[in-house]
Amino acid sequence: MHAIKCGSPSSNIYSHTNTSRKTIQHTHTHTFSHTVVEIRVERENLKSVSMAETGVFEEIIEGDVFKYYTDGEWKKSTSGKSVAIINPTTRTTQYKVQACTQEEVNKVIESSKIAQRQWAKTPLWKRAELLHKAAAILKEHKAPIAECLVKEIAKPAKDSVTEVVRSGDLISYCAEEGVRILGEGKFLVSDSFPGNERTKYCLTSKIPLGVVLAIPPFNYPVNLAVSKIGPALIAGNSLVLKPPTQGAVACLHMVQCFHLAGFPTGLISCVTGKGSEIGDFLTMHPGVNCISFTGGDTGIAISKKAGMVPLQMELGGKDACIVLEDADLDLVAANIIKGGFSYSGQRCTAVKVVLVMESVADALVEKVNAKVAKLKVGPPEEDCDITPVVSESSANFIEGLAKDAKTKGATFCQEYRREGNLIWPLLLDNVRPDMRIAWEEPFGPIVPVIRINSVEEGIHHCNASNFGLQGCVFTKDINKAILISDAMETGTVQINSAPARGPDHFPFQGLKDSGIGSQGITNSINMMTKIKSTVINLPTPSYTMG
Ligand code: G3H
């Protein structure tokens, strides 16, 4: 697969054959829209040793199966089974990880409990020191970890490196923020409440919850893992990580960086396996004291089953981009490209519906189309803008949304094209509320445009969604922007920029089906702690006289 500019009429995606490797070619015929697309997929049967499996990472793999991590050691599951990780680009098995058993999960959680008790007694400065060390080791090994991201989730090469570096910075920030906010408590006196004398002094501090279960999603397996691990550890918790299947190997490498930093035995564990075998078992485990999950609908099911533990959930969005008549259309177009198409739209904060005033819609669509034509489509190794989506089922779902829009009369600004999991970027104009794409989250490179006749219409569409993660508004009138932001039922509204979670210390939260609680470093640290009070009762009232 070679990179192609998506507007190039002579694009030929079918010419590549790699003669240095044994390949079997499968040909599918794919029909949709005006085109008949022949798909040729190369199946690589020879496994090559990559830098991700050598050096300091040698011990995390045996044969061709990566091990899981518990009690400070890399282990093979007694199940003797493994889970295959399919490379979205080649659609062949890239890696294998252990299929852990429920019995192994029990042992992991038991070790976590024991380790946590000791860790809670470890001075804050020492916890911070270890986190800084892990951050440095992670950044030092950004190349092999990024290589895993490229192979497992088809994230463009440069973005993969950025994810690892960003994650190192996030861990360091957790360490710094943690020593500040956990190093302070409150002192309250009783006579501020009616009827009380100053006979009670209340001292509060933040204490850890215990065992935190972290479940990150495939699209940021490293960054959204450390956004849970960093706060959990600095706050004195132990951590059990259940990585997504796709992204698991990058996670295992990241865990090795924590191992190399020298964290106490049992404090961090990473279990891999089938969701059907250990998913519910983990989330309903009585030994788990907190769950931090990022992903899709599964989060709703988890929250119903989890019981009385604090939950932090980030479950996706249908982020609206409201464009007013006075907006800088070049800025809007650039942000629709960045917000809608980066990582092929596989971001919960992607621009997922553009709501543009009819009077400027033609001009905006033209500008966006010109930019879509310049997007590079192809494999992540070549750092293309649009790379294959994570799985065949995801590609099929995205195609279903496109087909539905076609049937119902949306304007296809580009021809619909797909090869395997690779879907060409597509702007759909004249989308109407009866189309699925107006409401559903494609998690792919398709951006719908709905033309509106009033700002109220745009706000109404945004608020009628079940989701409420982020939204954005483009206008030069800051007063209008604030009013619109207040009217939008979303956790965050960006003014004159596309939605985004970062910088990672900003609060990040969704309303409605988009989530529970708030993330961002400070909020996550607070969420992973409880308040403990000690009240000193005096025999007689005592007032500080100065
Ligand atoms: O996919 C969900 C992520 O939280 C989005 O993060 O805005 O940095 O891409 P991002």
Side-chain angles (χ1 to χ4, degrees):
M1 192 188 289
H2 286 309
I4 316 144
K5 284 263 162 63
C6 86
S8 159
S10 59
S11 310
N12 182 353
I13 55 174
Y14 313 121
S15 58
H16 179 59
T17 50
N18 183 348
T19 47
S20 67
R21 290 186 177 191
K22 191 174 157 197
T23 61
I24 305 169
Q25 290 166 349
H26 292 254
T27 304
H28 303 277
T29 302
H30 181 74
T31 51
F32 173 49
S33 182
H34 324 288
T35 52
V36 175
V37 180
E38 184 193 59
I39 300 165
R40 181 181 287 176
V41 179
E42 292 184 355
R43 304 236 177 224
E44 296 182 9
N45 285 343
L46 290 183
K47 190 177 185 306
S48 62
V49 174
S50 67
M51 64 177 160
E53 294 152 36
T54 54
V56 296
F57 298 114
E58 219 162 332
E59 64 174 313
I60 76 172
I61 186 167
E62 191 173 310
D64 63 349
V65 187
F66 283 88
K67 296 188 243 178
Y68 77 104
Y69 184 72
T70 182
D71 287 323
E73 286 174 27
W74 291 96
K75 293 186 184 166
K76 282 165 76 175
S77 169
T78 52
S79 72
K81 293 184 193 153
S82 63
V83 179
I85 297 170
I86 309 295
N87 179 324
T89 311
T90 63
R91 297 195 293 159
T92 60
T93 299
Q94 182 71 42
Y95 302 120
K96 288 180 194 160
V97 293
Q98 304 291 326
C100 291
T101 63
Q102 295 184 353
E103 202 180 313
E104 282 158 346
V105 167
N106 279 335
K107 283 191 189 148
V108 160
I109 291 178
E110 199 38 51
S111 301
S112 286
K113 278 221 153 322
I114 296 165
Q116 191 271 327
R117 282 186 206 120
Q118 205 50 43
W119 181 242
K121 294 180 194 159
T122 305
L124 252 177
W125 66 264
K126 209 163 189 173
R127 294 183 211 160
E129 197 175 82
L130 281 168
L131 282 167
H132 280 302
K133 209 166 162 191
I137 296 171
L138 187 76
K139 283 181 169 180
E140 187 189 331
H141 296 99
K142 60 182 186 283
I145 300 173
E147 182 187 312
C148 299
L149 294 172
V150 168
K151 304 284 182 212
E152 283 184 286
I153 60 165
K155 185 168 273 195
K158 272 191 200 145
D159 293 348
S160 294
V161 173
T162 304
E163 175 170 347
V164 183
V165 174
R166 171 183 178 181
S167 302
D169 292 338
L170 196 161
I171 298 168
S172 293
Y173 198 104
C174 284
E176 286 161 20
E177 185 71 348
V179 292
R180 286 185 209 116
I181 65 170
L182 297 165
E184 286 180 357
K186 266 192 173 177
F187 171 61
L188 292 91
V189 288
S190 50
D191 65 313
S192 51
F193 198 86
N196 283 271
E197 296 277 18
R198 191 174 288 205
T199 52
K200 291 172 188 288
Y201 291 167
C202 178
L203 307 171
T204 72
S205 60
K206 289 171 188 159
I207 58 166
L209 297 176
V211 177
V212 174
L213 172 63
I215 310 180
F218 81 83
N219 61 347
Y220 285 96
V222 175
N223 183 260
L224 282 169
V226 302
S227 75
K228 304 169 193 318
I229 298 172
L233 295 184
I234 192 67
N237 299 288
S238 59
L239 190 118
V240 176
L241 175 66
K242 164 65 180 78
T245 298
Q246 252 149 308
V249 174
C251 275
L252 293 169
H253 283 73
M254 177 266 298
V255 168
Q256 173 70 343
C257 296
F258 281 85
H259 171 79
L260 295 170
F263 280 88
T265 299
L267 189 71
I268 305 165
S269 323
C270 184
V271 285
T272 53
K274 289 202 166 78
S276 54
E277 171 72 14
I278 58 168
D280 278 355
F281 193 75
L282 268 166
T283 54
M284 295 166 75
H285 200 289
V288 167
N289 306 111
C290 170
I291 302 174
S292 179
F293 173 91
T294 308
D297 292 352
T298 317
I300 296 176
I302 292 175
S303 64
K304 286 182 180 148
K305 294 179 202 161
M308 245 179 72
V309 295
L311 299 177
Q312 187 180 49
M313 297 266 160
E314 198 264 279
L315 313 179
K318 183 73 184 170
D319 295 8
C321 169
I322 300 181
V323 185
L324 271 55
E325 282 157 328
D326 69 342
D328 173 344
L329 295 184
D330 290 312
L331 179 72
V332 183
N335 274 278
I336 290 174
I337 294 294
K338 183 179 78 163
F341 295 109
S342 56
Y343 188 34
S344 306
Q346 297 174 110
R347 296 167 53 242
C348 55
T349 48
V351 167
K352 297 202 181 106
V353 59
V354 177
L355 299 154
V356 56
M357 291 296 286
E358 177 69 60
S359 58
V360 290
D362 283 343
L364 179 65
V365 166
E366 196 183 319
K367 284 178 191 292
V368 177
N369 280 336
K371 288 183 187 296
V372 167
K374 289 185 185 147
L375 291 174
K376 227 163 66 157
V377 181
E381 288 82 355
E382 291 179 27
D383 209 35
C384 291
D385 303 303
I386 305 293
T387 54
V389 296
V390 71
S391 65
E392 188 168 348
S393 62
S394 178
N396 291 343
F397 175 78
I398 297 161
E399 182 167 306
L401 293 178
K403 272 183 178 173
D404 175 78
K406 186 87 196 163
T407 315
K408 293 174 182 162
T411 307
F412 277 52
C413 298
Q414 294 78 24
E415 195 175 51
Y416 175 81
R417 295 184 72 183
R418 172 179 170 188
E419 181 200 354
N421 296 349
L422 183 64
I423 293 178
W424 267 248
L426 183 58
L427 190 74
L428 298 179
D429 195 3
N430 296 305
V431 165
R432 288 191 324 267
D434 63 321
M435 298 174 192
R436 286 176 57 202
I437 192 75
W439 305 105
E440 294 179 43
E441 211 188 359
F443 239 67
I446 300 190
V447 177
V449 176
I450 298 180
R451 292 166 177 244
I452 53 173
N453 291 304
S454 68
V455 174
E456 289 68 29
E457 205 182 320
I459 294 169
H460 176 78
H461 186 93
C462 167
N463 292 351
S465 169
N466 289 339
F467 290 114
L469 188 61
Q470 291 209 0
C472 59
V473 54
F474 286 86
T475 173
K476 292 188 186 111
D477 185 335
I478 188 66
N479 296 327
K480 269 191 198 163
I482 296 288
L483 293 176
I484 294 168
S485 167
D486 285 346
M488 288 170 84
E489 292 169 5
T490 60
T492 303
V493 174
Q494 304 267 351
I495 297 173
N496 292 325
S497 187
R501 172 169 48 107
D504 287 333
H505 67 305
F506 278 15
F508 180 55
Q509 55 281 317
L511 307 185
K512 300 188 270 187
D513 284 354
S514 284
I516 300 174
S518 179
Q519 299 177 70
I521 292 170
T522 313
N523 288 343
S524 292
I525 294 173
N526 284 331
M527 183 267 168
M528 292 174 185
T529 58
K530 260 193 179 180
I531 302 290
K532 165 82 187 239
S533 303
T534 300
V535 180
I536 301 166
N537 289 275
L538 303 175
T540 51
S542 176
Y543 292 87
T544 316
M545 301 305 288

